[in-house]
Amino acid sequence: MDSLTIKPPPPIFVRGVEDFSEATSGQNNNLPSPSAAPDTNNSMSSFLQEFKALINPPIALLTKSAAWSSNSHTHHPLNQTSVPSDIRILIADKRRARALFQRNRLPSLKHNYNKLSNLLKKMLAKYKASVLENFLTNLSPNDGSLWRATKRTYKLSSQNIPIKKSDGSFVCTDLDKAE
């Protein structure tokens, strides 16, 4: 039985969409030739004008592509934090085990999935506890971090809990809320 080979996508050298027609729009395929006129000053200025017209569009394109490549276009989710590689590997293993269990529904695969899931929960709890401990030990009144953390806790607002009647149903009207 032949195995499938997956080819990687070709490398991308240019970011974004480049308009090459913009770069070639002002070009003439034939290079400017020096005129036979003895006036070298006039012919030199016309040669320079033609040369500038020939060179400027590709330079503009190169400048644009250099600007694109100098900017980093990585989009990170707002609340994403870096997780150690062992936890990332465990997450991938757990997802793989879940997919395998969902395909085959074997009890041994379910046991493996549950084992990985519980191990991941324990490792994440330890990691979160160490991150919190590190955060709390690094608070200092000198650099303002203590004040920022205190301010953040005071900004948290409590949820509006719905009012219930004595029979357990929720209050809907303003008259019932006033009672």
Side-chain angles (χ1 to χ4, degrees), residues 14-85:
V14 178
R15 289 188 185 160
V17 178
E18 298 294 334
D19 187 11
F20 290 104
S21 63
E22 177 185 339
T24 59
S25 64
Q27 289 183 357
N28 294 334
N29 289 338
N30 36 350
L31 293 173
S33 60
S35 63
D39 188 15
T40 57
N41 201 13
N42 209 2
S43 66
M44 184 59 88
S45 65
S46 66
F47 174 78
L48 286 176
Q49 287 176 352
E50 289 179 15
F51 185 73
K52 284 180 184 177
L54 184 69
I55 291 296
N56 280 340
I59 288 178
L61 181 65
L62 286 174
T63 306
K64 187 194 315 185
S65 64
W68 273 103
S69 63
S70 68
N71 292 335
S72 62
H73 292 290
T74 54
H75 298 288
H76 298 289
L78 295 176
N79 295 330
Q80 182 180 5
T81 58
S82 60
V83 180
S85 62

Side-chain angles (χ1 to χ4, degrees), residues 70-167:
S70 68
N71 292 335
S72 62
H73 292 290
T74 54
H75 298 288
H76 298 289
L78 295 176
N79 295 330
Q80 182 180 5
T81 58
S82 60
V83 180
S85 62
D86 55 339
I87 293 179
R88 282 196 307 257
I89 291 170
L90 192 59
I91 290 170
D93 289 343
K94 184 195 86 144
R95 288 176 181 166
R96 205 172 293 117
R98 182 184 62 215
L100 195 60
F101 166 69
Q102 288 175 342
R103 266 184 271 147
N104 298 322
R105 296 289 181 187
L106 294 175
S108 60
L109 296 176
K110 174 75 173 178
H111 174 73
N112 189 22
Y113 167 64
N114 286 340
K115 187 175 148 186
L116 287 171
S117 182
N118 288 330
L119 181 61
L120 179 64
K121 284 180 195 175
K122 289 176 186 175
M123 286 184 72
L124 279 174
K126 285 181 186 177
Y127 174 70
K128 287 179 181 178
S130 67
V131 166
L132 179 65
E133 182 182 353
N134 186 22
F135 173 72
L136 293 175
T137 55
N138 288 332
L139 290 178
S140 169
N142 298 332
D143 62 356
S145 60
L146 181 63
W147 171 245
R148 279 193 302 274
T150 306
K151 194 164 82 170
R152 194 178 317 135
T153 58
Y154 281 123
K155 279 188 176 181
L156 296 176
S157 61
S158 63
Q159 296 177 351
N160 291 334
I161 301 171
I163 303 171
K164 289 186 177 181
K165 293 181 184 177
S166 59
D167 62 352

